[in-house]
Amino acid sequence: MDAALVKSLQDQGLDFELDKDLSTMSSLGTGGRAECLATPHHIGQLAALLDLADGHGIPVTVVGSLTNTLVSDDGIRGIVLSTRSIRGIVIKGDLLTAYAGEKLDEVINRAIGHNLSGLEELGGIPGTVGGATFGNAGANGKDISTYFFYSDYITKDGRIRRMPSYSDAFSYRHSPFTDDDIILSTAFRLIPNRDTAESRKRKEHFKQMRMEKGQFKYPSIGSIFRNPPLLSAGRLIDEAGLKGFVHKGAMVSPYHANFIVNAGGATSRDIWELSQIVMTAVERKFNITLEYEIRMLGKFD
Ligand SMILES: Cc1cc2nc3c(=O)[nH]c(=O)nc-3n(C[C@H](O)[C@H](O)[C@H](O)COP(=O)(O)OP(=O)(O)OC[C@H]3O[C@@H](n4cnc5c(N)ncnc54)[C@H](O)[C@@H]3O)c2cc1C
């Protein structure tokens, strides 16, 4: 990385690491190195970082906490900007605003603690509010869009904007944001609820269901494929006989066939190759082409 840029990053007091091994950050435990991983702590630092990167012609790739992203073993050139350290939760009445780096699960706990309900079904989804908003994360019949009110975001050329809620902004695991947008915070309009104990019980129930389904038995990045309309990707993979199938260090989870897990020593290439094997098998058996739900960063084929 350009020495002048490194000096400017230091001068700005930015938190960054050069040649950072991203496998240590990914929930899958795979992936190559980032030329530079920068973790700004507030919006001023983030804006300064974008300005510097632009001035030096360095590409910026945005991530949260890498629980839904397959990072190429070849690594990522330029700056990987993680919003995981931009933290804070503000609650006014029934409006809860969470900064992008807050863990979604913690946001749900805070909401419940303030007698606000609605997000319990998303209990136990790992990752940050930024990542969850970008991917419209969801579970048990609800998703981020259900209580989304607005997000403040900054574009890579430094303009701060507000994304309001509008009718078809979000769809299944899809939000209106593009790779040029960096989500700073998301405001949720929640439901006032006096029965905190009941909400907490519901949330813990949904979280517990994940544990019982073995979602955390192996390192993973969640469901690999989108469910085709009216179908379950996991069931198709299971019926194609692939549950528990091992390819190098990667394995189709024996608990949930739509998870491809790190069974020990996997590379991102192993995960990607197994995902291609799965796609081919499902296509052959059912004539259905699965589409990726996970995000991929860097080169794979
Ligand atoms: C065991 C397990 C269970 C899971 N269960 C579910 C589930 O039930 N439902 C579900 O939807 N997901 C699930 N996931 C996937 C994942 O946890 C969520 O999608 C989560 O919201 C991703 O957040 P993240 O911060 O890790 O995002 P990352 O993986 O870091 O990023 C995901 C995408 O969001 C973008 N992004 C991240 N932060 C920002 C930002 N601030 N601004 C703009 N773009 C940003 C990235 O560019 C990338 O494209 C699961 C994962 C695991 C490991």
Side-chain angles (χ1 to χ4, degrees):
M1 175 127 323
D2 178 340
L5 175 58
V6 172
K7 168 121 188 15
S8 305
L9 293 173
Q10 282 164 343
D11 291 347
Q12 290 286 344
L14 274 153
D15 209 344
F16 68 95
E17 288 174 78
L18 298 178
D19 197 29
K20 169 73 179 172
D21 179 358
L22 292 175
S23 72
T24 60
M25 184 175 151
S26 158
S27 58
L28 188 57
T30 68
R33 308 182 87 84
E35 218 177 335
C36 173
L37 172 72
T39 49
H41 289 257
H42 54 75
I43 292 160
Q45 283 188 340
L46 195 159
L49 179 70
L50 292 176
D51 198 37
L52 285 173
D54 186 47
H56 288 78
I58 303 285
V60 172
T61 304
V62 181
V63 303
S65 58
L66 294 182
T67 66
N68 199 213
T69 302
L70 187 63
V71 178
S72 162
D73 300 317
D74 296 343
I76 310 294
R77 288 189 57 75
I79 294 175
V80 174
L81 186 170
S82 167
T83 50
R84 68 182 171 176
S85 297
I86 301 180
R87 310 285 294 272
I89 298 175
V90 180
I91 301 175
K92 279 190 189 145
D94 60 358
L95 197 67
L96 181 152
T97 306
Y99 283 85
E102 285 294 336
K103 292 266 191 323
L104 180 63
D105 197 60
E106 176 55 24
V107 169
I108 302 169
N109 288 339
R110 287 284 289 280
I112 293 170
H114 280 77
N115 298 94
L116 293 173
S117 286
L119 299 173
E120 293 87 328
E121 283 82 350
L122 311 187
I125 297 183
T128 64
V129 165
T133 305
F134 186 86
N136 190 21
N140 305 304
K142 285 198 180 163
D143 56 29
I144 288 293
S145 76
T146 315
Y147 297 99
F148 177 91
F149 194 43
Y150 61 80
S151 275
D152 287 333
Y153 65 104
I154 183 167
T155 56
K156 283 189 180 160
D157 58 7
R159 283 172 298 162
I160 294 184
R161 296 257 168 95
R162 177 163 291 185
M163 179 72 72
S165 167
Y166 59 91
S167 62
D168 55 354
F170 291 86
S171 53
Y172 170 57
R173 302 296 174 269
H174 176 81
S175 76
F177 298 99
T178 72
D179 285 345
D180 255 358
D181 303 328
I182 303 161
I183 297 159
L184 302 171
S185 64
T186 296
F188 300 94
R189 197 174 269 302
L190 299 171
I191 304 164
N193 173 11
R194 280 173 194 275
D195 197 346
T196 302
E198 175 57 24
S199 296
R200 194 162 280 132
K201 219 167 105 190
R202 271 172 60 72
K203 187 248 169 176
E204 286 310 318
H205 161 75
F206 288 115
K207 195 169 176 176
Q208 188 58 32
M209 267 170 46
R210 291 177 181 277
M211 310 279 184
E212 284 163 15
K213 286 182 186 162
Q215 288 198 2
F216 297 100
K217 296 261 190 204
Y218 291 94
S220 81
I221 42 175
S223 295
I224 297 284
F225 299 106
R226 297 162 65 84
N227 287 323
L230 305 176
L231 292 171
S232 150
R235 179 162 295 174
L236 294 173
I237 298 165
D238 192 1
E239 286 174 7
L242 287 169
K243 210 172 194 177
F245 184 86
V246 175
H247 171 75
K248 301 179 184 169
M251 173 169 68
V252 175
S253 170
Y255 299 100
H256 182 335
N258 199 13
F259 277 36
I260 295 182
V261 302
N262 184 347
T267 62
S268 287
R269 177 103 208 149
D270 298 346
I271 303 285
W272 180 79
E273 284 176 1
L274 181 50
S275 74
Q276 294 284 308
I277 292 169
V278 167
M279 283 172 89
T280 306
V282 168
E283 181 125 31
R284 281 215 184 109
K285 189 162 171 82
F286 300 106
N287 200 22
I288 292 172
T289 307
L290 291 175
E291 288 174 21
Y292 285 107
E293 178 169 317
I294 53 161
R295 301 280 300 179
M296 292 195 212
L297 288 185
K299 269 180 54 190
F300 284 90
D301 50 3

